[in-house]
Amino acid sequence: MQVKKRTLLLLACLVWTVAGFNVFRIGILAYATYWSVVNLILSLLVFALFQRFIFGRLVRKHTARILGYQEERQFFLKFFDRKAFLIMAVMIVGGISLRGSGLAPERFIAVFYSGLGASLLLAGILFGRNYFKAPH
């Protein structure tokens, strides 16, 4: 199925927003008994690190790649490249495995997942912003 290249930004927005919301929700639900200023600061640090070094770069890179396509219509899965799909798969499998194994304490889930989820959610929002800013 072919879509306009601008629509690829909307698809990326939807995928990252849904993923970010779900991960953030897991973290927030786990936060109930672990609320503290230290944990909040740690969550903000996780958010900042992921936003600065991973997801902020990912949004810029994929937006530039998508808008740089010569052909206006592209295959709908080209909103990411292979590496981005691999990152998403590793994160999903890793997250499910980590929670399912019981190796990570609930406090870690609260702190890490809320920071990571917020960063993923912001990436989705940024893809959405880029969708609206892209030329029609």
Side-chain angles (χ1 to χ4, degrees), residues 74-105:
Q74 297 290 326
F75 183 61
F76 78 101
L77 289 178
K78 288 182 82 175
F79 64 91
F80 284 151
D81 58 13
R82 285 186 180 127
K83 183 179 176 184
F85 278 113
L86 181 63
I87 289 170
M88 181 69 88
V90 167
M91 287 176 50
I92 291 169
V93 170
I96 291 170
S97 300
L98 188 63
R99 289 185 64 223
S101 71
L103 292 175

Side-chain angles (χ1 to χ4, degrees), residues 55-129:
F55 300 124
R57 290 178 180 180
L58 183 138
V59 170
R60 286 188 299 276
K61 174 186 162 194
H62 288 286
T63 298
R65 178 182 52 79
I66 288 167
L67 294 178
Y69 285 141
Q70 296 298 316
E71 300 290 323
E72 178 58 30
R73 299 191 73 78
Q74 297 290 326
F75 183 61
F76 78 101
L77 289 178
K78 288 182 82 175
F79 64 91
F80 284 151
D81 58 13
R82 285 186 180 127
K83 183 179 176 184
F85 278 113
L86 181 63
I87 289 170
M88 181 69 88
V90 167
M91 287 176 50
I92 291 169
V93 170
I96 291 170
S97 300
L98 188 63
R99 289 185 64 223
S101 71
L103 292 175
E106 194 71 8
R107 179 177 180 230
F108 174 82
I109 298 296
V111 170
F112 187 75
Y113 275 49
S114 58
L116 174 65
S119 186
L120 283 165
L121 186 57
L122 180 57
I125 291 167
L126 292 173
F127 273 120
R129 179 200 64 186

Side-chain angles (χ1 to χ4, degrees), residues 43-64:
S43 291
L44 290 172
L45 181 61
V46 169
F47 167 81
L49 290 172
F50 272 93
Q51 196 57 44
R52 171 73 172 101
F53 295 109
I54 298 175
F55 300 124
R57 290 178 180 180
L58 183 138
V59 170
R60 286 188 299 276
K61 174 186 162 194
H62 288 286
T63 298

